[in-house]
């Protein structure tokens, strides 16, 4: 077992739960497999490698290609590794489909990008609904940590994703060309249809908090109750706290260069 449930509760259409990582081979494999693949965009790297190696290159060209591929800068920032961890957990345990890795949108290595951290769909029976979310990392002893509140905090950002139509429109405009003509286009159409026909309510929000402190339900409980007063069904929100057994600063090293890169 990779994660052990520590607490779970909810109010109205908001739920919150805490899970503790269980050290061992299974957790290491998870970090060095799915998490590393998200962090380093293994699929994008492999696609580029296959495409460029298919070109008519001279011996000099082949050498240059290998130098270019070897020069890729690995992502080593702890918050980026935290986002990759959150994405992998949502995909593995919450039926979330993330059709595009935002690593590919960076024009400069180690750049940061604005916008929602989680943009995709959640499987719901034979259909899909929009899945949007934010990820925060905190080593702060205080509970709840400051990353949960304020204008740059998780709760404000989730409220914006739920209610700000300009933000939603921008995210859909970003997502459409990345799924059009792919296996994910039907999910996009289903999710948008459900959202619009429900009066702009049928979507799921995820707030993922990465922690390396003691397990406390207070990390999520109060903020979850506050958010519950703002959302109306069929909108729903799932707040997840993922507790690591070692400092968040160690996460990039433990993820390493796995994932096929």
């Amino acid at each position: 077992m990779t994660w052990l449930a520590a607490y779970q509760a909810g109010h109205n259409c908001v739920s919150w739960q805490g899970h503790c990582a269980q050290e061992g081979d299974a957790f290491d494999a998870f970090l060095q497999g799915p998490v590393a693949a998200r962090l380093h965009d293994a699929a994008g790297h492999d696609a580029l490698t296959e495409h460029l190696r298919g070109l008519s290159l001279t011996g000099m060209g082949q050498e240059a290609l290998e130098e270019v591929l070897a020069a890729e800068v690995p992502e080593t920032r702890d918050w980026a590794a935290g986002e990759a961890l959150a994405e992998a957990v949502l995909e593995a345990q919450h039926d979330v489909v993330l059709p595009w890795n935002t690593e590919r949108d960076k024009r400069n290595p180690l750049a940061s990008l604005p916008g929602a951290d989680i943009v995709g769909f959640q499987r719901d029976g034979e259909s899909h609904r929009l899945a949007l979310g934010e990820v925060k990392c905190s080593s702060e002893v205080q509970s709840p940590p400051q990353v949960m509140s304020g204008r740059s905090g998780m709760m404000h950002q989730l409220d914006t994703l739920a209610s700000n139509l300009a933000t939603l429109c921008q995210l859909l405009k970003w997502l459409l060309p990345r799924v059009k003509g792919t296996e994910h286009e039907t999910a996009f159409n289903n999710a948008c249809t459900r959202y619009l026909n429900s009066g702009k309510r049928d979507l799921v929000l995820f707030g993922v908090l990465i922690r390396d402190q003691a397990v406390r339900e207070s990390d999520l409980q109060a903020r979850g109750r506050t958010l519950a007063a703002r959302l109306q069904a069929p909108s729903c929100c799932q707040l997840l706290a993922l507790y690591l057994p070692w400092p968040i600063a160690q996460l990039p090293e433990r993820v390493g260069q796995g994932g096929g890169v």
Side-chain angles (χ1 to χ4, degrees), residues 109-214:
L110 303 186
S112 59
L113 296 170
D117 298 325
I118 305 297
V119 183
F121 318 106
Q122 184 184 50
R123 298 182 190 89
D124 185 26
E126 298 298 316
S127 184
H128 289 80
R129 59 180 172 179
L130 287 172
L132 307 174
E134 295 292 339
V135 181
K136 299 291 185 184
C137 297
S138 177
S139 297
E140 185 179 11
V141 176
Q142 173 181 311
S143 178
Q146 296 183 53
V147 295
M148 299 297 290
S149 57
R151 293 197 61 81
S152 60
M154 181 189 290
M155 291 302 100
H156 177 75
Q157 291 172 326
L158 291 177
D159 190 41
T160 297
L161 291 176
S163 61
N164 190 309
L165 296 184
T167 297
L168 182 84
C169 183
Q170 187 65 28
L171 292 174
L172 294 179
K173 186 165 66 173
W174 172 86
L175 188 56
L176 175 59
R178 289 159 175 79
V179 301
K180 194 169 182 63
T182 75
E183 61 180 313
H184 302 294
E185 184 173 358
T186 298
F188 178 88
N189 293 339
N190 289 341
C192 289
T193 299
R194 288 179 55 163
Y195 176 77
L196 296 171
N197 285 345
S198 66
K200 310 183 296 294
R201 289 181 183 173
D202 194 352
L203 82 168
V204 57
L205 302 174
F206 286 97
V208 184
L209 176 65
I210 312 295
R211 291 287 264 160
D212 56 10
Q213 298 296 316

Side-chain angles (χ1 to χ4, degrees):
M1 181 180 295
T2 304
W3 299 93
L4 182 65
Y7 56 82
Q8 183 171 352
H11 183 67
N12 294 337
C13 53
V14 177
S15 65
W16 53 89
Q17 51 189 278
H19 295 273
C20 299
Q22 300 299 290
E23 287 193 275
D25 292 343
F27 187 51
D28 290 342
F30 182 67
L31 292 177
Q32 295 162 20
V35 178
R38 296 295 309 183
L39 180 63
H40 303 303
D41 187 18
H45 176 90
D46 292 346
L48 177 64
T49 299
E50 180 180 359
H51 184 85
L52 294 182
R53 285 179 177 165
L55 301 178
S56 299
L57 299 177
T58 64
M60 180 181 296
Q62 293 285 356
E63 291 180 6
L65 170 58
E66 297 308 318
E67 289 178 4
V68 169
L69 294 175
E72 184 171 11
V73 178
E75 177 61 82
T76 58
R77 294 173 293 183
D78 51 7
W79 64 263
E83 287 186 6
L85 173 62
E87 291 170 349
V89 167
L90 292 180
E91 286 184 321
Q93 301 182 7
H94 296 272
D95 286 328
V96 171
V97 178
L98 300 172
W100 185 259
N101 193 320
T102 55
E103 285 290 306
R104 298 171 204 170
D105 293 320
K106 295 178 178 178
R107 291 179 174 84
N108 296 297
L110 303 186
S112 59
L113 296 170
D117 298 325
I118 305 297
V119 183
F121 318 106
Q122 184 184 50
R123 298 182 190 89
D124 185 26
E126 298 298 316
S127 184
H128 289 80
R129 59 180 172 179
L130 287 172
L132 307 174
E134 295 292 339
V135 181
K136 299 291 185 184
C137 297
S138 177
S139 297
E140 185 179 11
V141 176
Q142 173 181 311
S143 178
Q146 296 183 53
V147 295
M148 299 297 290
S149 57
R151 293 197 61 81
S152 60
M154 181 189 290
M155 291 302 100
H156 177 75
Q157 291 172 326
L158 291 177
D159 190 41
T160 297
L161 291 176
S163 61
N164 190 309
L165 296 184
T167 297
L168 182 84
C169 183
Q170 187 65 28
L171 292 174
L172 294 179
K173 186 165 66 173
W174 172 86
L175 188 56
L176 175 59
R178 289 159 175 79
V179 301
K180 194 169 182 63
T182 75
E183 61 180 313
H184 302 294
E185 184 173 358
T186 298
F188 178 88
N189 293 339
N190 289 341
C192 289
T193 299
R194 288 179 55 163
Y195 176 77
L196 296 171
N197 285 345
S198 66
K200 310 183 296 294
R201 289 181 183 173
D202 194 352
L203 82 168
V204 57
L205 302 174
F206 286 97
V208 184
L209 176 65
I210 312 295
R211 291 287 264 160
D212 56 10
Q213 298 296 316
V215 175
R216 297 178 186 173
E217 187 175 353
S218 56
D219 283 342
L220 302 178
Q221 185 179 55
R223 300 297 183 263
R225 289 185 176 278
T226 298
L227 191 60
R230 298 173 177 268
L231 295 180
Q232 290 183 299
S235 296
C236 68
C237 178
Q238 298 183 38
L239 301 179
L240 310 173
L242 304 178
Y243 296 91
L244 301 178
W246 23 255
I248 292 171
Q250 294 182 16
L251 184 56
E253 178 183 356
R254 291 177 179 270
V255 170
Q257 290 294 299
V261 176

